[in-house]
Amino acid sequence: MSIVLMKPVEPKKPTAPKPIFLERPTFNGEVWRMKQLVAVLNLSASRIYEMVQKGEFPRPFKLSTRASAWPAAQVRAWLDARIAERD
């Protein structure tokens, strides 16, 4: 029988979370909720979320644990790009 000596494991140092504001594009503060998107785009909520998953529509950000919104400037830019594709 042999004895195996193990090194003591040092606990990992906690790392600071990345600041969210550095990962998000800046905007003027105007946001659109899902009801507004559905009304303006004439698309269903499920279609909008499908487009987000495919990377075809801007991603929402969390206002709270249960509320999401889209920066209006990003949605307008998406609309402008769709109109430019048509022309």
Side-chain angles (χ1 to χ4, degrees), residues 70-87:
W70 284 258
Q74 289 183 4
V75 175
R76 286 189 187 104
W78 178 84
L79 279 170
D80 291 342
R82 295 292 293 236
I83 293 169
E85 287 175 7
R86 175 195 66 183
D87 297 337

Side-chain angles (χ1 to χ4, degrees), residues 26-43:
T26 58
F27 61 97
N28 65 358
E30 183 184 3
V31 297
W32 288 0
R33 301 288 306 275
M34 180 56 78
K35 284 184 180 182
Q36 293 168 300
L37 288 176
V38 168
V40 170
L41 302 176
N42 198 26
L43 295 171

Side-chain angles (χ1 to χ4, degrees), residues 33-78:
R33 301 288 306 275
M34 180 56 78
K35 284 184 180 182
Q36 293 168 300
L37 288 176
V38 168
V40 170
L41 302 176
N42 198 26
L43 295 171
S44 67
S46 60
R47 177 66 181 131
I48 292 170
Y49 281 124
E50 180 183 318
M51 290 168 50
V52 168
Q53 287 293 323
K54 291 180 179 180
E56 299 171 356
F57 192 76
R59 290 179 32 208
F61 66 95
K62 298 298 270 182
L63 293 173
S64 68
T65 56
R66 295 181 56 172
S68 296
W70 284 258
Q74 289 183 4
V75 175
R76 286 189 187 104
W78 178 84

